[in-house]
Amino acid sequence: AAGVAVQGADGDAEPVVLGWRGGGARADGGVYSPTSPLGGAVLGRFVDETVTYELPNGRVLEVEIVNVEMPAS
């Protein structure tokens, strides 16, 4: 699982993990599927990129990618 830190409009950075629950991935933030709105928005992106994504309720959020940590091979 890859670790990503995103920063929203409130200025707080939130660590998230892209992976599957139960796969042993742990983080201070949440675990998001790569097919979730946030997971899909940040997948393949780079630090300092700003991405937008739509929540299931139609609300659109924008976050900046502030850190990416790839798993050790």
Side-chain angles (χ1 to χ4, degrees):
V4 179
V6 296
Q7 181 174 323
D10 61 5
D12 290 335
E14 174 188 354
V16 297
V17 172
L18 296 181
W20 306 105
R21 290 193 186 276
R26 296 182 55 86
D28 294 337
V31 177
Y32 292 83
S33 162
T35 60
S36 71
L38 176 58
V42 301
L43 192 63
R45 301 301 180 126
F46 299 94
V47 172
D48 294 330
E49 284 192 72
T50 299
V51 297
T52 58
Y53 61 100
E54 186 174 345
L55 298 174
N57 65 5
R59 184 174 168 205
V60 176
L61 297 179
E62 180 177 276
V63 295
E64 178 184 355
I65 300 170
V66 295
N67 189 37
V68 175
E69 295 180 14
M70 298 304 293
S73 5

